[in-house]
Structure formats: structure tokens, C-alpha cells
Amino acid sequence: MPKKSVTISCKNVWKLYGSDPARFLANRNYNPSENDLKQSQYIAAVFDASIDVFKGEILVIMGLSGSGKSSLVRCMTRLIEPTSGEIHFEGSDLLKATEKELIEIRRHKMGMVFQNFALMPHRNVLENIAFPLEVQGVSREKREERAIEIIDLVGLKGREKYYPRELSGGQQQRVGLARSLAVEPNIWFLDEPFSALDPLIRKEMQNEFLRLQNLLNKTIVFITHDFDEAIRLADRIAIMYEGRIVQVGNAEELITNPANEYVAEFTRDIPRAKLLSVGSIMQPAKKSTKNKIVVNKTDKISSVAPSIISSNAVATVVDESGDVCGELTKDQIVDILFADEKNND
Amino acid sequence: MTESLWERLKQFWFVYPFIALWLLKPITPNWGVIPPKSCLGGCGSIEGMIPFVDWVNNLIAVLRNYEILPGISEGKVGLFTFREFTRYLANLIDIPLDFTEALLYKGFETIPLGPLPWVMILGLVVVLGLYLRGISLAILGGSCVLYLAIFSLRGIWTLSMKTLSAIAVSVPLAVLIGLVLGILGAKFKVVERILNPILNVLQSLPHFSYLILVAIFCGVGAKAGVIATVIFAFPPMTRLTILGLKELSSEIVEAGKMSGCNYWQMLFKVELPGARSALMLGINQVIMQCLAMVVIASFIGQPGLGHDLLARLQNLRLGQAFEIGVAVVFIAITLDRYSQALVLKQPERSREGAFWLRNPYLSGAIVIVVLSVILSFISSAATQLPKEYTISISGYLDLGIKTFTTSLFVPLGIFRDFLLVYFFMPTKAMFQSLPWISVIVLVGCAGWKLGRFKLALTVMFFVFLIAASGYWVRAMITLYMVSVAIIISMGFGIPVGIWASKRLNRTKLVLNICDTFQTFPSFIYLLPAVMLFQISDVSAIFAIVVYASIPITRYTIFGLRNVPSQIIEAAKMSGCSESQLLWKVRMPLAFPEMLLGVNQTLMFALFMVMIAGFIGTVDLSQEIFRALSFNDGGKGLVIGLCVSLIGLTADRLLVEWSNIKKRSYGLKT
């Protein structure tokens, strides 16, 4: 596999609140204990976070409110200044960027979507979407042309002249998506973009988001507090707790191998059958010949369950090249299915 | 039982030292009863313990003659004093003022262009009303202009235009100054910290204190009126700008930053438009403050409605005064409703099609301008309504007022004298008899109870300053009038508030009346007071009561209606009767809000009591009027500060009390 290129890389990022956080952190050699923090009356919004965001992936940062996910993303965009640490964006040190360079980076390379849409109430849809281009100094004709392109893309055709207050929540967030895409950013930050929407609309917007990503293939940092949403959208999930990144991995890794109780608690209510692959629960094969039922190692359990259960036989598991690598019994499947049932009670 | 009585008595410990000192008055040495005069800096003209008045006057004298720049003044090469500098600045006001005066009533001298025809003003006001809200607003604006035009036999039209031309210059200036200071205050903490106390004092200083200082440094006449008005009117704009910018949602600011705005793009494209409704509210307040002040600025020669109202009141030509008063009220309501509509105005989707379809109101305005210009060439009646079409009903009004007062002379007189003899005089005597030491002790104890050391020291210091200024006795008379007025206002406002809070339609009605009454320049309230009670303490208190009942009514309604509906439902389900609900649930929960209402009532009363000095009271306001006629800037400012200190003392105590109550109910953290 070729080495994936890194778009944003965070190394030992800290964000402390208190009277003199920078000095405090230096005095403690950038490694204060939690007790020390508490006693000195500092609050760590981001606690020694290190993470790489790879080009073209959807990284979901997951955590409950107050876990520091918003702070971390605001450090990545320098909406807030981290207390210490390093952040590299496309190879250059973001924290060293001057105010002017930062404005240039934001104008051309970053886009951000906000939880409560953050549309300008005095501008109509077209003007809101063209806003980032307007502040760059793009001519009216060009920016409106581009804005109309994106309006089509997010499915708001015919609403160009509407004001935000005349749109539903879902439509408003489409404007938010469109605005952040207007400058064709290299990295796309989404801060709980669908949390303020009704469940049904949320689902629709998640699909819309996936459709857009299929077309655009952006590098994405997506924040959510909703684990289901994280599973639906993520290539990788980073779970945050009290400012720390507790675990990074894909959904299956988090479920089968949670780093601690906290992560386990999150994953407990998730329907495993749909997420776990055959490979993650299979047993070693007792014989090398194939049984009547053959399943792939990467198949999801929910998709193979019906045939295995109805035939009441042991299934043979094969890998990508078709070689036998394990077997799967009905009991194992039933365990997984009933574990879900039990958790849902 | 005895214990609970003891407990109850203990709660009121803070009044006992005060009562004790009051009772001990006969054996108190004289310096403890009336603030002594000291000989700080030489005896003589000094009125108080500390010669504040002389200090201020010395400062003014120094400033007057302070030479800032050697330069050219009045054609001769020489020294350039501070006062010449301020007068020079004041003269700059004449440039825009000449323009608005020419536009509205004088006509231009250099170019052959008359003032705006009245039909054009009528048409434009109607179109603006339609644009801002719709037909009802347009009718209000239109009838206001018609009133001014038709009732113009004695020149109300020209007077109004004089007033409006001063407003047209003051409002933009005050908005600009307020906006710039507000932006600086929102951006820099230091600026806000400096601005806050200054705004506090400016907003509690009586109008007249400004007038004297402005007259000294800027002369008299329309330009001085504009300057006084601007100083008076900008503080709410600053406050609302700071508030609007600070309350902007952080996401909007972040969205602006992430779009790559630089500092100025941020300010002009994101922050200021985002704070739009706060700013528009600020403009609304500036307009209303300007109108209130322009009327009062007639004391330093501001021509216009205020000037003539003042003159007619002084000559007791009440009919004519009434006509002018109605004009002022009409203008006030119209300006208020128009600028309110501006606050609520949302951007609209424009229609497709030709220019006149896309911009119907703008096109309408253009048509009106063109038509009225043509009309004014055809007939001069379009320029100004000819005299034969104008009317004045002041004769009938005079007659009506005369019959009214003569027929009611006896009962009103009895009522007035009864109040004076049995209620006002004893109260006045009581207030005058209070030893100043005991008052300081009282506020100190109250401050200690509410906010410990810091609050106690602050309010004691405030009261001490009043005592030290040499105006203690006058201040106590002011306090007496204000207290009596507040008690009557509460007796009136609280029941009305309770009545109004019961149903939504009543609430709307009463709040609407409150809004309307509040837009009137305070001066107007003297008119009915003088009509009914001639010139006495009763008429002054009547005027104060009418004006000061507004906030207590409003806050009572607000407090009662804001009780969470869950609590009311819980009380109903516990079986509360209607009156139990009121007295056991809603009133206690509304109490903190009502305290704030009392605080506002006091502020309103203090403003009004100063104006009431104009109809002959013997408190601080009389002194300030004397200062005005002798151009005594130091005295004017010191008395103004005394009034402001009375207000600030009560404000500190009442707001703290309200906060404590709110916190104890968990309404505030």
C-alpha cells in the first residue's frame, strides 16, 4: 500500500484555560498530571492530542459535549490558539503562519460548516454562498457564477434569492455546506453539522454529504457526538474524552478492541452484526476443505447470518485469494445477534 | 411566637441605628444635623464642606483662558484659547445646520431653490411608511404631517421644521459618535472600562447640567442646542453597539474568519451587519433622546417647538401651548414608530421584472418628488399650505380649559390643598428634619446588609458627597418630592400592572400605552399639570407621577408574566385560588423584577423633578434654574451631579437587592 499523504498533522497539542497556561505547561515540562491541573485551577480543553488527517479520508472526531472535540478542530483552524504543540498543514507549520498568511490559507484551502449554520441573516442564499469569494476580491460576475454552480450541486436551485429565515433547517445547512465549498477547499471541517436537525432530515443530510464526498473526494474532519453518525460516515473515528484522544480506528476496531471502558460504553449499543466482519469472530478452520456454505472474510455478519442460520451448518471462511482461513458456526452468529438484543433492552 | 417576632424584628436591624439617630436629634450637635460649612481654601462664597462649585468654576475659568495654540483668532494674530477652540468647533455645526434649515424651511440663498414643498414631505413620509411596515404606519405618518400643515395658523409648520432640522443634524452625529465609541468599547476592554462610569453619569445627569456647560463653551442658539442634544443622545447608541457586538453568535464570527475576512471586512461585512437589530434599536433611542433634548434645549436658545411651548407655558397661554404640545407628541410617536419599524424591517426578496417592479417604493418616491416639484411651479399652495387653509383652535381650547378649570377650580383647589396640608407638607417636614448623619448611617446599614463592606462604603461615599456639596437641604426636598411621587406611582402602577398581566390583550394594550407615553418628551407632562393644579408642589408631583408610573407598570407586567408557566400550573394543581395564585406565587416571583421597576421609576422621577423646577419648586431644580440664568457652570454641574448621585445610590442598592432575590429563587446564577 502506498504511504498515505498527510494533510493535517497535530503533535502534542494542548489547549489549557487558566491564569497563565503557557508558563504553567513549560514549568511542568509539557507533562502535567491531571491532579496537578486541577490543583492549579487549569482546565484542559485539549490534552496532549496527536493525530494525522490523511488526504482524501473522512476522519470523524467523536465525543460528548465538553470532550474537547470542538476545541481541537478550532486549534486545527487556529480559530483558537493552542497553548502548545505543533500543527502542520500540508507540510508547513500552521502555528507559525502570520495573520496575513492565515487569512490566505482560510481563503483558499479551508472550508468550515457550523452546527447552527452561521449564515449571515442580512444576505440571501446567493450572497451567503458567494461571501468567501467576495472577501477574496473575486468580481461579482465570477463569484455569482461559481455560487450558482454550487447551489445546483447542493440542490437549492430556485432559492438563490431567499433569505436564511425563509429556509428550513436542512436547507439552511445546505447553504452552509455550499458556502464552505465555494472556494474549493483542500480540507473541509464540519462541526456537528447535522446535530441541530430533526432525525429524519439528519439522515437525508448524511446521505447528501456522502453523495457530495463521492463527487468531490475532499479531506474531511467531521465532528459529531452521535456514534451512529460516526459509523455511517467515517473512514476513521477518533474518540475524545476530557480533552484526550482516547482511541483512533475504524468502527470495527473500536467495537472489537475498545481501548477502555469509555469507548466500550459507546460501542455497547451499536448493532454489531451490521458492523463486524466475519473475519473478526471466525474460529480457526478445523479442516482445509470447503463446506457447503462459503463466506468471505470481509463479509458483514448480518449479510451471512440468514443462510448460515437456516442451513444450520458450519460455514467456511475464505480470504481475498479464496483460500480457507477459518470457519463460522451458527452459535457464534446467534451470540452476536443476541448480544445486540440484550444491549437494546 | 415571641421568638419568631424577635426573628422578624432582627431582619430589620439596619433601620434601627437610623431611627435611634433620628430620635436623638434634639441632643445631636448641630454639625450632625445639617452638614457644616468648612473653610477649606478660604471662607466666603463657599456653600459646602468641600468647595466643589468653586473648583469646577476655577477649572472652567482656566479652560476658558487656557491658551492651547498661538494662532489666528478673530482676524488678529494672537493667542488661541480653549474656549475659542470649542466655539470654533461649535461653528462647524452651522455648516450642516444651514443646509437642513435651508432644505426644510428657509430655502437656499445662493441657488434659486426654496424649501421642500409640504406635499413632497407628505408624500415621502407616506411612501416610507408603506415601505417600512404598511398602510397603518403610512396613515400615522401622513396624519402627523397633515396636522403640522393644517394647524399652522400660528406657525407650527415652521416651528416643527426648525425642530426637525436640528434633529436631522443631531441624530447622525450622535449615532456616529455612539457607534465609533461603541465599536472601540467592544474591541478594547480598557475603553469599555473607561466608558462605563462616564456613560453612567451622563445618563443620570439632568438635562440642564449639560445646557449650562454647553452654553459656556459653545455659546447659545441652534448650534449649541445641537451640541447639547448630541451629548445627551449618544450614550444609548454606545451601549447598544457594545451589547450588539458582544452578543453576536460566536459561530457567525468564526464563519467570517473561516471565509478569510481581514479585520475591516470582519467589522463591516460580518460584525456590524450581524448586530443590525441592536444598532437599529440604538438609532431609535437616539432619535427619541434627540427629540426630548431638542425641546429642552430651547433654554439655551434652540428655536423650534420647544422654544414656543416654553414661552406659551410661561405666559399661561395654555390653548396655544396645547396645540404645540400635540405637535410634539405627534412627531414623537411618528418618529418612534417609524424607527421601530426600521428595527423590525427584514430584508425582502426582490421581485423580478422592470425597475419599477423591482423597486416599487423607490419609484414611488421618485414620482412624488417629480410631481411635487412640478406642482410647486404651478401653484405656491403646494410649497406651503396657504394661510387661509390653516387653522388654530387655541381660542376654543383656551375657552375649554378656562371653563374646565373654573368649574373644577373649587374641588381641584380643595383636593390640592388637602393633599398639601395633610400629606405633602408633613412628609416634606419629615424629610427636612432628618439629620444627615442618620441618612448616611441608613444607606450604610442597608448597603452592608445587601453587599457588605464594598457596597456600604460606596453608597455612604455617594451620600457624603451630596452632603459635602452644600446642597443637602435642597437635595432632601428633591428626595421628598421624588419619594412621594414614587409611592403614588406604585399605588397606581402596580394595580394596573396586575390587572394588565391577567390577559394577553390587556397586556398588549397597557404596554402600548406605556410605549406611547414614554415617547413624549418629558416637558409635555407639565402641560396638564399646570392646567389642573396651577403652580405648586402638587402640580410638580402630578407631572412626576404621570411620567414615573410608566416603568413601574411595565416592570410589574413583565415580572408577573414571566413567571414560568410550569410553576403556575403546579400551583393551580395544588388548588390555589386566583388570589392565592397572585399573592403566594406570582407576586413573590415577580418581586425582583418589580424592584428594578422601582429603580427605573426613581430615574424617571429624578429626570422629571428637575424639569418640574420650571414650574416653581424649591428643591435642587430651582437652584439649577438659577444657575442657568446666571450661567454658573460650576453650580449647574455640581447640582446635576447631586441628582445623579441620588440616582446612583438608589440604583446600587435596589439592583443588588433584586439580584440577591433572583439568586435566591435560582433565577440568576
Side-chain angles (χ1 to χ4, degrees), chain B residues 172-219:
Chain B
L173 264 177
V175 167
L176 192 70
I177 292 173
L179 189 69
V180 170
L181 286 177
I183 292 171
L184 290 174
K187 295 271 169 193
F188 305 102
K189 259 232 146 70
V190 193
V191 180
E192 197 195 353
R193 229 173 272 155
I194 299 170
L195 274 177
N196 246 332
I198 297 178
L199 294 181
N200 275 342
V201 172
L202 279 183
Q203 285 191 300
S204 56
L205 214 56
H207 308 78
F208 294 110
S209 295
Y210 299 95
L211 292 183
I212 302 169
L213 291 178
V214 169
I216 290 171
F217 285 108
C218 308

Side-chain angles (χ1 to χ4, degrees), chain A residues 74 103 106-107 114-116 119 122 131 134-135 161-163 165-166 179, chain B residues 251-252 254-255 257-262 265 269-270 273 346-349:
Chain A
R74 278 165 177 71
I103 286 178
R106 287 173 179 163
R107 280 184 179 175
F114 296 87
Q115 180 172 4
N116 298 305
L119 302 179
H122 59 289
F131 182 71
E134 181 184 327
V135 296
K161 296 274 167 356
Y162 280 55
Y163 282 89
R165 72 191 144 87
E166 299 173 300
R179 176 176 65 187
Chain B
E251 277 198 346
I252 295 260
E254 288 179 340
K257 282 190 186 160
M258 288 307 289
S259 301
C261 289
N262 60 32
Q265 287 173 328
K269 292 188 185 236
V270 180
Q346 298 273 12
E348 301 261 348
R349 234 180 303 149

Side-chain angles (χ1 to χ4, degrees), chain A residues 263-330:
Chain A
V263 179
E265 188 61 39
F266 262 125
T267 57
R268 188 156 294 153
D269 293 342
I270 299 304
R272 277 135 208 279
K274 276 191 189 154
L275 281 174
L276 296 187
S277 59
V278 169
S280 66
I281 61 160
M282 67 184 182
Q283 307 171 331
K286 286 188 187 123
K287 51 182 185 181
S288 58
T289 52
K290 290 179 186 170
N291 288 338
K292 204 171 88 192
I293 300 175
V294 178
V295 295
N296 278 319
K297 192 180 166 188
T298 53
D299 284 345
K300 298 289 178 216
I301 291 172
S302 59
S303 65
V304 301
S307 57
I308 295 178
I309 290 173
S310 61
S311 69
N312 202 9
V314 177
T316 303
V317 182
V318 297
D319 59 17
E320 293 90 5
S321 47
D323 296 335
V324 174
C325 61
E327 58 185 37
L328 191 62
T329 65
K330 182 186 158 196

Side-chain angles (χ1 to χ4, degrees), chain A residues 8-10 13 46 49-53 59 61 69-82 86-89 94-95 102 105-106 110 112 187 189 220-223 238 240 245, chain B residues 258:
Chain A
I8 279 203
S9 154
C10 299
V13 174
V46 178
S50 299
I51 194 168
D52 290 338
V53 185
L59 173 73
I61 300 180
K69 51 194 194 307
S70 288
S71 298
L72 179 59
V73 165
R74 278 165 177 71
C75 286
M76 290 182 184
T77 52
R78 268 188 71 186
L79 283 172
I80 57 175
E81 295 292 329
E86 288 174 37
I87 297 174
H88 288 268
F89 175 60
L94 191 67
L95 300 184
L102 196 61
I105 291 172
R106 287 173 179 163
M110 288 179 172
M112 187 156 174
I187 183 158
F189 296 97
I220 292 171
V221 177
F222 189 110
I223 301 186
M240 287 190 77
I245 298 177
Chain B
M258 288 307 289

Side-chain angles (χ1 to χ4, degrees), chain B residues 475-532:
Chain B
M476 288 313 276
I477 301 179
T478 298
L479 194 62
Y480 133 74
M481 297 229 285
V482 169
S483 307
V484 169
I486 289 177
I487 291 167
I488 302 176
S489 299
M490 283 164 66
F492 173 75
I494 293 176
V496 171
I498 292 173
W499 176 82
S501 69
K502 292 213 167 148
R503 298 227 183 84
L504 190 62
N505 54 355
R506 290 185 196 167
T507 303
K508 276 188 182 156
L509 174 76
V510 173
L511 284 183
N512 227 325
I513 294 173
C514 283
D515 282 345
T516 309
F517 270 73
Q518 206 176 335
T519 58
F520 300 172
S522 35
F523 212 75
I524 289 295
Y525 292 94
L526 295 182
L527 205 67
V530 173
M531 279 183 199
L532 290 173

Side-chain angles (χ1 to χ4, degrees), chain A residues 48-307:
Chain A
D48 199 15
S50 299
I51 194 168
D52 290 338
V53 185
F54 299 114
K55 190 161 197 253
E57 78 164 338
I58 302 179
L59 173 73
V60 172
I61 300 180
M62 231 278 328
L64 300 180
S65 60
S67 62
K69 51 194 194 307
S70 288
S71 298
L72 179 59
V73 165
R74 278 165 177 71
C75 286
M76 290 182 184
T77 52
R78 268 188 71 186
L79 283 172
I80 57 175
E81 295 292 329
T83 311
S84 91
E86 288 174 37
I87 297 174
H88 288 268
F89 175 60
E90 294 184 338
S92 61
D93 190 341
L94 191 67
L95 300 184
K96 292 238 165 66
T98 60
E99 191 60 31
K100 227 176 176 172
E101 288 162 351
L102 196 61
I103 286 178
E104 282 308 304
I105 291 172
R106 287 173 179 163
R107 280 184 179 175
H108 299 286
K109 296 183 174 170
M110 288 179 172
M112 187 156 174
V113 182
F114 296 87
Q115 180 172 4
N116 298 305
F117 324 134
L119 302 179
M120 321 257 164
H122 59 289
R123 291 166 168 264
N124 64 25
V125 170
L126 189 74
E127 289 163 344
N128 257 298
I129 295 174
F131 182 71
L133 299 166
E134 181 184 327
V135 296
Q136 282 180 25
V138 176
S139 72
R140 174 180 290 273
E141 201 175 308
K142 273 201 181 142
R143 66 180 190 240
E144 290 193 348
E145 189 182 326
R146 168 75 185 143
I148 285 170
E149 249 175 71
I150 310 176
I151 288 173
D152 286 354
L153 185 70
V154 299
L156 280 174
K157 201 168 186 173
R159 313 236 174 223
E160 293 85 350
K161 296 274 167 356
Y162 280 55
Y163 282 89
R165 72 191 144 87
E166 299 173 300
L167 300 175
S168 69
Q171 288 171 330
Q172 290 193 34
Q173 196 55 300
R174 283 171 196 261
V175 179
L177 292 171
R179 176 176 65 187
S180 65
L181 290 172
V183 295
E184 300 185 65
N186 297 7
I187 183 158
W188 197 16
F189 296 97
L190 298 103
D191 179 11
E192 301 212 27
F194 310 137
S195 297
L197 303 173
D198 293 337
L200 284 178
I201 309 285
R202 195 181 309 160
K203 199 129 204 191
E204 182 190 321
M205 291 298 288
Q206 287 166 356
N207 292 334
E208 178 75 17
F209 167 74
L210 288 173
R211 182 182 72 83
L212 286 173
Q213 172 62 355
N214 262 334
L215 289 173
L216 305 170
N217 207 15
K218 298 276 175 208
T219 306
I220 292 171
V221 177
F222 189 110
I223 301 186
T224 181
H225 62 252
D226 177 357
F227 198 57
D228 291 321
E229 187 170 73
I231 291 168
R232 262 174 72 84
L233 306 178
D235 292 325
R236 286 193 305 150
I237 301 173
I239 294 194
M240 287 190 77
Y241 177 66
E242 294 195 337
R244 298 166 201 260
I245 298 177
V246 201
Q247 189 172 10
V248 186
N250 62 29
E252 196 167 345
E253 284 163 12
L254 295 177
I255 291 170
T256 53
N257 194 13
N260 59 18
E261 258 308 292
Y262 183 74
V263 179
E265 188 61 39
F266 262 125
T267 57
R268 188 156 294 153
D269 293 342
I270 299 304
R272 277 135 208 279
K274 276 191 189 154
L275 281 174
L276 296 187
S277 59
V278 169
S280 66
I281 61 160
M282 67 184 182
Q283 307 171 331
K286 286 188 187 123
K287 51 182 185 181
S288 58
T289 52
K290 290 179 186 170
N291 288 338
K292 204 171 88 192
I293 300 175
V294 178
V295 295
N296 278 319
K297 192 180 166 188
T298 53
D299 284 345
K300 298 289 178 216
I301 291 172
S302 59
S303 65
V304 301
S307 57

